[in-house]
Amino acid sequence: MTQRGYIEVYTGNGKGKTTAAIGLAVRAAGAGKKVCIIQFMKSLAYSEQKVLQTIPGITLITCGKPYFIAKEGMLTKEQLAAWGDAVTVYPAGHPPADYRALIEAGVEQAVSAVSGGYDVVILDEYNMACWYDLATAEDTARILAARRPEVELVVTGRNAPQQLLDAADLITEMKKIRHYFDKGVEARKGIED
């Protein structure tokens, strides 16, 4: 008998969403399961990716750009000045076309993964891709409809859309109580980056 898979959503403003999903991926791979991790809005620039690419049973796919994006009005003039060329600002609802195309390709890979031979599929930062208008409600509906019932689907990122929350069997909200970022500590290699 085939074991039923569930839909898990890790969201909220606290640290640990991706970390929890990666822990689940390692556990699943250790149990002999095939895992696909698709990282939305991330290029190959994060420390965990080096290790994930070496673990048997885990496939890692990234679909991100080496810059950040922001909707108009999200950042103050000071923040924009600090970010400089490292951020692309766009009108809400109209993300950069090349970035949207990259995310569309990631959605196609997600549809293939949830309908194919994987036991666990992790869509890391997919919630944020939705929030930034890069992934659409239609994209989400396609992924959910394609999912085989035995596939464990884990979706991470802040601002989870209601559509995913409604579909989820498990929702974990990471709540920030205190964070050293607020005191000016930047992302540290091997801890946040």
Side-chain angles (χ1 to χ4, degrees):
M1 185 170 122
T2 305
Q3 185 176 6
R4 176 182 173 208
Y6 293 93
I7 298 173
E8 303 184 24
V9 174
Y10 304 162
T11 193
N13 290 326
K15 182 180 182 316
K17 297 172 289 293
T18 296
T19 306
I22 289 171
L24 186 147
V26 170
R27 177 180 286 155
K33 295 184 180 294
K34 285 184 63 182
V35 179
C36 180
I37 302 171
I38 304 175
Q39 292 188 311
F40 289 84
M41 302 187 66
K42 290 183 177 178
S43 60
L44 276 174
Y46 296 87
S47 300
E48 73 270 10
Q49 295 164 332
K50 294 173 189 170
V51 172
L52 289 172
Q53 291 174 320
T54 68
I55 299 174
I58 295 181
T59 300
L60 175 67
I61 300 168
T62 61
C63 30
K65 296 275 189 180
Y67 60 82
F68 293 98
I69 61 172
K71 298 177 191 179
E72 285 180 350
M74 264 184 67
L75 302 175
T76 65
K77 288 180 184 177
E78 294 79 18
Q79 289 171 318
L80 285 170
W83 281 95
D85 292 339
V87 67
T88 297
V89 179
Y90 66 95
H94 303 282
D98 62 333
Y99 214 145
R100 170 66 183 134
L102 184 63
I103 298 303
E104 282 179 315
V107 168
E108 291 304 319
Q109 291 171 308
V111 167
S112 178
V114 298
S115 62
Y118 290 101
D119 302 301
V120 177
V121 176
I122 296 170
L123 306 183
D124 185 38
E125 297 298 349
Y126 182 80
N127 295 337
M128 290 305 292
C130 293
W131 193 81
Y132 279 111
D133 310 313
L134 294 167
T136 67
E138 292 78 20
D139 293 333
T140 304
R142 286 186 56 229
I143 293 167
L144 293 173
R147 178 182 154 268
R148 291 179 298 113
E150 61 271 17
V151 173
E152 192 82 9
L153 176 61
V154 180
V155 186
T156 76
R158 297 171 188 216
N159 304 316
Q162 192 62 48
Q163 180 183 21
L164 275 171
L165 296 175
D166 290 345
D169 298 293
L170 177 150
I171 301 169
T172 296
E173 180 179 3
M174 307 293 190
K175 181 180 176 186
K176 180 179 93 166
I177 304 296
R178 179 181 301 134
H179 202 307
Y180 38 79
F181 280 3
D182 297 333
K183 293 181 179 181
V185 176
E186 294 188 18
R188 298 169 296 153
K189 196 73 164 167
I191 305 298
E192 291 89 23
D193 192 353

